[in-house]
């Protein structure tokens, strides 16, 4: 990866960690599947809620932690809005594969969008869990939402 691209990716992660899409107070957990995930090695914590809305998935989350974990949740929120129920599983699978690639896989920006920015994170085993935390919460909450409403 060129250093210019790496800088662009770092800036993207920083931007998302500051302006967190989908980070809203969780006032009524009864409307959706809900998952609380903790990454004890870094201190990251996320609660994410997902509900089905036709072909779309409503999602919101609250949490605290390092900029990678917060940015990843923000990026995931955007991707869920873009992909809907039809495309989100492919996005999640692609992101998990990238995170386990040890920096050897070029990210597929067509599928991953802004989540491609986390490609460099996969070189640092200690940070992979930071990046995956929100995604684990989403998979859990989404499965619950589907079980509720088909
Ligand atoms: Zn972290």
């Amino acid at each position: 990866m060129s250093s210019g691209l790496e800088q662009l990716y770092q800036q993207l992660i920083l931007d998302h960690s500051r302006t967190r899409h989908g980070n809203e107070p969780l006032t009524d957990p009864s409307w959706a599947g809900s998952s609380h995930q903790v990454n004890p090695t870094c201190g990251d914590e996320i609660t994410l809620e997902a509900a089905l809305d036709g072909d779309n998935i409503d999602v919101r989350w609250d949490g605290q932690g390092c900029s990678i974990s917060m940015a990843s949740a923000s990026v995931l929120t955007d991707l869920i809005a873009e992909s809907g129920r039809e495309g989100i599983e492919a996005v999640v699978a692609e992101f998990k594969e990238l995170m386990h690639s040890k920096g050897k896989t070029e990210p597929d920006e067509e599928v991953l969008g802004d989540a491609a920015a986390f490609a460099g994170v996969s070189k640092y085993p200690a940070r992979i869990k930071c990046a995956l935390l929100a995604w684990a919460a989403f998979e859990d909450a989404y499965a619950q939402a589907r079980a509720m409403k088909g």
Side-chain angles (χ1 to χ4, degrees), residues 39 41-44 65-70 126-127 129-131 133:
N39 176 15
T41 52
C42 184
D44 310 317
C66 68
S67 52
I68 290 174
S69 66
M70 296 294 103
R127 311 314 301 273
K129 197 147 186 222
C130 303
L133 195 67

Side-chain angles (χ1 to χ4, degrees), residues 6 12 23-24 41-42 62 86 91 144:
E6 206 141 332
L12 228 154
N23 187 356
E24 294 162 31
T41 52
C42 184
D62 200 7
E86 183 145 4
V91 176
Q144 291 173 34

Side-chain angles (χ1 to χ4, degrees), residues 17-61:
S17 74
R18 287 178 180 146
T19 309
R20 302 171 183 177
H21 303 166
N23 187 356
E24 294 162 31
L26 310 175
T27 48
D28 178 16
S30 66
W31 70 290
S34 176
S35 180
H36 179 69
Q37 300 284 329
V38 183
N39 176 15
T41 52
C42 184
D44 310 317
E45 218 170 308
I46 283 176
T47 303
L48 183 145
E49 294 175 353
L52 305 184
D53 175 18
D55 290 336
N56 299 315
I57 308 163
D58 287 332
V59 68
R60 62 186 180 188
W61 60 275

Side-chain angles (χ1 to χ4, degrees), residues 19-148:
T19 309
R20 302 171 183 177
H21 303 166
N23 187 356
E24 294 162 31
L26 310 175
T27 48
D28 178 16
S30 66
W31 70 290
S34 176
S35 180
H36 179 69
Q37 300 284 329
V38 183
N39 176 15
T41 52
C42 184
D44 310 317
E45 218 170 308
I46 283 176
T47 303
L48 183 145
E49 294 175 353
L52 305 184
D53 175 18
D55 290 336
N56 299 315
I57 308 163
D58 287 332
V59 68
R60 62 186 180 188
W61 60 275
D62 200 7
Q64 53 191 3
C66 68
S67 52
I68 290 174
S69 66
M70 296 294 103
S72 187
S74 175
V75 167
L76 173 62
T77 302
D78 288 352
L79 287 167
I80 291 167
E82 283 162 25
S83 310
R85 294 181 67 177
E86 183 145 4
I88 194 60
E89 279 170 36
V91 176
V92 171
E94 182 81 18
F95 187 71
K96 282 160 81 174
E97 199 182 310
L98 179 68
M99 281 302 103
H100 292 120
S101 72
K102 301 185 171 74
K104 289 184 184 115
T105 304
E106 286 294 319
D108 185 347
E109 288 194 32
E110 291 267 310
V111 179
L112 290 173
D114 283 359
F118 294 86
V121 173
S122 69
K123 284 184 280 189
Y124 306 98
R127 311 314 301 273
I128 292 169
K129 197 147 186 222
C130 303
L132 283 173
L133 195 67
W135 299 66
F138 169 68
E139 282 195 295
D140 184 20
Y142 183 43
Q144 291 173 34
R146 275 184 305 184
M148 281 176 204

